[in-house]
Amino acid sequence: MAKHQFQTEADQILHLMTHSLYSNKEIFIRELVSNASDALDKLNMLVLTDEKYKDVTFSPRVDIVANKDAKTLTIKDTGIGMNEEDLMNNLGTIAKSGTKAFIESMTGDQKKDSQLIGQFGVGFYACFMVADKVEVTTKKAGDDQAFIWTSTGAGEFEIENATQDGHGTTIVMHLKDDEGEFLEEHRIESIIKKYSNHIPFPIFMDKEKYIPAVTDDEGNETEPSKTEIENQQINKANALWTIAKKDITDDEYKDFYSSFAHSSEEPLTWMHNKAEGAIEYTTLFYIPSKAPMDLYRVDYETGIKLYINRVFITDDEKELMPTYLRFLRGVIDSKDLPLNVSREILQSNAVMTKIKNASVKKVLSELSKLKKDKEKYDKFYAEFGNVLKEGLYNDFANREKILELLQFNTLNSDEKVYIEDFAKNVDEDKKEIYYITGKTSVEMLKASPSLERFKAKGIDVLILNEEVDSIIFPMVNEYKEYKLMHISDAKFELDEEEKKAEEETAKTYEGLVGQFKEALGEAVKEVETTTDLVDSPVKLKEDKEDPAYMMAQMMKQMGQEAPEAPKPILQINPKHELLVKLKDSSDLNLVQDAAHVLLDQAKLFDGQELDDTADFIARLNRIITKAI
């Protein structure tokens, strides 16, 4: 007998399970039946595709046995089974990225943490919510040796050799004294029907069958009524996605999602599609109501399972759908792929490419229809809008459709708008849609000095304040016949009189511009006057022709750490009272302090942090002192 310690993360989960106040404990049955189904899926594929398993008998079933006398609940499957290494990896450690995300989301508040269980499931470990001892006897298909894994959930487990007829896994849970409800036939059956009705393999359980009394012709009882124990199938065992949509109720769709996605929350919506013709396939995709915990992890767990003619192939192939749709949960089932398809073949297979492309178009089309339900779409966008934006970066073919699914804040509106509605108010002669980006609040961006000329001319601007926006939108150059442009690229035509006035103004400010440039030194690339400002004294401008700027943008778009961008150009407003007074001032110290304070002011408007807050405050205090 060998004793082993649980991995730290597994021990954390077990502690939570054994001390949980969670009210929806029934999900442990959902999790264990789902695991059993996965084991059957894997064996089914191997028997059909792997020569090593050609002599293994595949007789799929899951059995549930409730023993009231022993206070044990047993869940048994005839699936792939496990060897000693599998037991160590699957029951002693945290292998799935999703489970890691569960651990990372724990707060230390037992009551709050326990609420995560229903959303997340956390697989096998959920059984310790109801059991104070668990025994797992298992034998891997094709192996001779069976093993038994035993634990009380108190930090360690034991593995020793065992005997078992046939391959598969048997889990025996010794229930806690107050968990007797899970030994009741009707309770178990109701849980199976709720969560596992459409598991594609039969689930059996012993049930009492009532046999009425036998009477003669006069009505006299010749044999009393009695009950017999009969082993009955308690689930439908038909793959839900293979059933015609008209024959599936909303509740059945939701129940299937619960078992499939390991979630107690209802999906936001779903889309069920059957394609017939040159290529035949069925897809059933769900959109969760809450973002998965690992949504922004590099090692996120994909939510799409691939079946070939109802035979499970894989659930960890991220190429089945593009990464910007990684929030989807569901099934792709095709008749036109070989059962022994490898990951490499799958990624280059023409049939799979066509299924993927058609499925993406279908999902985007269904999302477009969902926009009509404002409340539901707003909820979707709040959870997944930023992920959807990633498609602008890597799905050029569907860029326009994705753009039309995005919601935008704008300069002139308090409500978010769609780009097709925004475009209706764009100048039809110029056909230019302007946007501003910045990692700050919408309110701060709307107050940016860079927008003052747009405000003065009544031109609306898209306000993009998410970090991902500044990476993605420079790559999006058009929408239909409209050009998408950063506000810094906007060109406002000046007539000859305006150009002449601008040149004359610039000349009168040459002295102050020189003083500012000398005071600021290497902090800026240049200082210049501008006609873009109306109310603010200064703003920053990037020199987009600078090779260093272009390199920084390219590296950022490639997802790499960008080199330091070139220093900004400080633009000053010659009509602002503050600049007018500084131009006429003979106090060089005041001008130098003002130059630094105004540069810091411009940085703050751009959402940047100040390099030296103490210096900013000292200079500001000196200016205030002189003004009093």
Side-chain angles (χ1 to χ4, degrees):
M1 182 181 296
K3 288 190 176 183
H4 306 273
Q5 294 293 316
F6 281 106
Q7 183 193 39
T8 304
E9 290 90 344
D11 198 30
Q12 285 178 273
I13 287 182
L14 285 167
H15 180 79
L16 178 58
M17 295 301 177
T18 53
H19 299 86
S20 177
L21 304 174
Y22 188 60
S23 58
N24 193 21
K25 295 178 181 179
E26 64 186 32
I27 63 149
F28 83 93
I29 293 180
R30 177 191 79 189
E31 296 296 302
L32 296 184
V33 170
S34 179
N35 289 348
S37 176
D38 288 346
L40 291 163
D41 269 332
K42 288 171 185 174
L43 182 59
N44 188 21
M45 179 180 65
L46 291 170
V47 168
L48 292 169
T49 63
D50 193 327
E51 190 69 17
K52 193 172 78 172
Y53 291 87
K54 67 177 183 178
D55 296 326
V56 173
T57 301
F58 182 63
S59 180
R61 64 182 287 153
V62 178
D63 286 277
I64 299 178
V65 179
N67 187 327
K68 291 184 178 179
D69 293 333
K71 293 183 180 178
T72 60
L73 180 65
T74 300
I75 297 180
K76 178 182 179 182
D77 68 70
T78 56
I80 183 68
M82 292 178 280
N83 57 26
E84 186 172 11
E85 183 181 359
D86 295 330
L87 283 170
M88 291 290 294
N89 291 336
N90 296 337
L91 303 190
T93 62
I94 302 296
K96 293 282 188 179
S97 67
T99 312
K100 289 179 185 176
F102 169 82
I103 284 291
E104 290 170 2
S105 67
M106 289 168 62
T107 64
D109 183 323
Q110 182 176 301
K111 190 166 185 178
K112 287 182 180 178
D113 290 341
S114 67
Q115 299 306 310
L116 295 171
I117 300 168
Q119 178 188 340
F120 206 81
V122 295
F124 168 79
Y125 302 106
C127 65
F128 283 96
M129 287 193 291
V130 298
D132 50 25
K133 181 181 179 183
V134 178
E135 298 166 325
V136 180
T137 306
T138 184
K139 184 162 77 170
K140 193 161 190 172
D143 288 2
D144 296 325
Q145 183 61 58
F147 298 91
I148 182 168
W149 178 101
T150 308
S151 179
T152 60
E156 61 182 23
F157 58 92
E158 298 173 354
I159 298 178
E160 57 183 320
N161 292 346
T163 57
Q164 177 175 290
D165 295 331
H167 53 78
T169 300
T170 301
I171 300 173
V172 179
M173 290 159 280
H174 297 261
L175 300 186
K176 298 173 184 177
D177 291 339
D178 55 350
E179 304 296 351
E181 64 176 293
F182 298 112
L183 297 172
E184 298 297 332
E185 170 192 307
H186 66 88
R187 180 77 169 104
I188 297 171
E189 186 171 9
S190 69
I191 295 170
I192 293 298
K193 290 189 183 303
K194 179 178 180 181
Y195 294 118
S196 310
N197 213 22
H198 290 284
I199 290 289
F201 303 108
I203 301 171
F204 292 92
M205 185 175 70
D206 286 343
K207 294 182 64 178
E208 287 188 352
K209 181 179 179 181
Y210 175 75
I211 300 175
V214 177
T215 57
D216 57 24
D217 294 340
E218 284 78 35
N220 297 316
E221 187 178 291
T222 58
E223 290 184 34
S225 62
K226 58 182 179 179
T227 58
E228 291 183 351
I229 301 298
E230 185 177 84
N231 194 241
Q232 297 180 14
Q233 183 173 328
I234 58 174
N235 71 323
K236 289 184 177 180
N238 49 4
L240 185 83
W241 63 89
T242 64
I243 304 171
K245 286 191 283 187
K246 63 181 178 62
D247 297 326
I248 307 174
T249 66
D250 284 357
D251 284 341
E252 286 177 315
Y253 274 119
K254 292 173 184 176
D255 291 345
F256 179 69
Y257 173 78
S258 293
S259 61
F260 184 90
H262 302 269
S263 176
S264 294
E265 295 178 340
E266 289 188 358
L268 188 64
T269 189
W270 56 86
M271 46 204 82
H272 190 180
N273 181 54
K274 185 173 184 180
E276 297 178 325
I279 299 175
E280 292 189 16
Y281 64 91
T282 300
T283 57
L284 173 57
F285 296 131
Y286 290 90
I287 296 177
S289 54
K290 294 275 186 163
M293 294 180 188
D294 59 352
L295 188 66
Y296 292 102
R297 292 178 63 105
V298 175
D299 62 342
Y300 71 89
E301 190 175 336
T302 179
I304 305 296
K305 290 189 176 186
L306 175 66
Y307 287 79
I308 296 177
N309 208 14
R310 283 182 278 183
V311 176
F312 171 76
I313 301 300
T314 181
D315 61 356
D316 64 355
E317 178 49 67
K318 294 181 179 180
E319 294 298 318
L320 293 176
M321 291 294 278
T323 55
Y324 73 92
L325 295 178
R326 61 185 177 272
F327 52 82
L328 290 175
R329 298 290 179 260
V331 170
I332 297 174
D333 191 350
S334 171
K335 296 180 179 179
D336 298 304
L337 290 166
L339 281 173
N340 60 348
V341 63
S342 68
R343 173 166 291 184
E344 291 72 27
I345 293 174
L346 192 63
Q347 291 176 356
S348 60
N349 184 277
V351 171
M352 193 64 238
T353 299
K354 288 178 180 177
I355 293 173
K356 177 179 177 179
N357 291 341
S359 295
V360 169
K361 283 181 167 58
K362 181 66 176 176
V363 169
L364 296 179
S365 174
E366 291 298 318
L367 286 173
S368 184
K369 293 176 185 175
L370 189 65
K371 283 162 61 176
K372 295 174 184 176
D373 186 336
K374 185 178 185 308
E375 182 179 350
K376 189 172 283 189
Y377 193 81
D378 286 350
K379 188 174 182 181
F380 159 77
Y381 197 82
E383 295 291 327
F384 306 113
N386 277 343
V387 181
L388 201 60
K389 287 178 185 176
E390 295 173 16
L392 297 174
Y393 180 90
N394 51 30
D395 189 356
F396 186 81
N398 292 299
R399 181 173 283 179
E400 190 171 292
K401 292 186 179 71
I402 296 168
L403 265 175
E404 291 180 344
L405 292 173
L406 304 184
Q407 295 180 340
F408 295 96
N409 290 296
T410 80
L411 178 61
N412 296 340
S413 175
D414 293 328
E415 299 290 329
K416 288 188 176 182
V417 303
Y418 294 105
I419 197 164
E420 61 264 43
D421 296 324
F422 183 88
K424 293 174 184 176
N425 297 315
V426 169
D427 186 329
E428 283 301 310
D429 292 327
K430 298 187 77 172
K431 291 188 180 297
E432 293 176 348
I433 294 175
Y434 305 112
Y435 65 84
I436 182 173
T437 58
K439 190 183 174 184
T440 183
S441 68
V442 171
E443 291 71 23
M444 279 290 289
L445 277 181
K446 283 187 176 185
S448 170
S450 299
L451 291 177
E452 289 177 4
R453 197 163 188 184
F454 293 86
K455 292 176 183 175
K457 291 180 174 290
I459 300 173
D460 207 357
V461 176
L462 300 179
I463 308 294
L464 310 178
N465 71 311
E466 300 289 348
E467 186 173 9
V468 68
D469 295 331
S470 61
I471 299 172
I472 289 174
F473 275 89
M475 301 182 65
V476 184
N477 300 316
E478 59 186 17
Y479 166 68
K480 293 186 176 178
E481 70 271 29
Y482 300 95
K483 293 180 181 177
L484 261 71
M485 301 174 61
H486 192 274
I487 55 167
S488 60
D489 295 326
K491 305 294 183 187
F492 294 106
E493 295 298 327
L494 300 176
D495 58 34
E496 289 303 316
E497 191 174 319
E498 288 173 323
K499 286 180 182 177
K500 186 176 180 182
E502 186 176 1
E503 289 170 2
E504 289 177 354
T505 300
K507 283 183 181 179
T508 64
Y509 272 84
E510 285 178 352
L512 183 65
V513 165
Q515 290 173 330
F516 269 34
K517 183 68 177 77
E518 185 178 350
L520 297 174
E522 296 299 317
V524 295
K525 181 175 183 177
E526 193 55 75
V527 180
E528 63 184 28
T529 58
T530 181
T531 57
D532 288 346
L533 291 166
V534 178
D535 299 315
S536 299
V538 291
K539 74 179 181 72
L540 296 180
K541 175 187 173 183
E542 294 170 321
D543 182 1
K544 296 193 174 183
E545 300 303 318
D546 191 312
Y549 172 83
M550 292 185 278
M551 176 60 72
Q553 288 299 107
M554 186 174 69
M555 297 292 282
K556 189 188 292 184
Q557 288 165 9
M558 292 170 61
Q560 299 180 24
E561 187 173 343
E564 187 177 355
K567 299 300 181 183
I569 296 170
L570 179 66
Q571 294 186 310
I572 63 174
N573 179 2
K575 294 181 181 179
H576 195 281
E577 182 183 7
L578 180 55
L579 274 303
V580 172
K581 288 186 175 181
L582 286 171
K583 178 173 69 71
D584 298 330
S585 175
S586 58
D587 188 341
L588 186 57
N589 290 330
L590 173 64
V591 171
Q592 289 178 341
D593 279 341
H596 284 277
V597 169
L598 287 171
L599 175 61
D600 285 343
Q601 179 189 121
K603 286 181 178 180
L604 290 171
F605 260 120
D606 261 19
Q608 299 180 32
E609 292 185 4
L610 300 185
D611 297 327
D612 190 338
T613 307
D615 181 67
F616 170 75
I617 292 171
R619 291 181 186 277
L620 184 61
N621 287 342
R622 286 200 294 269
I623 293 171
I624 294 172
T625 301
K626 288 181 179 181
I628 294 174

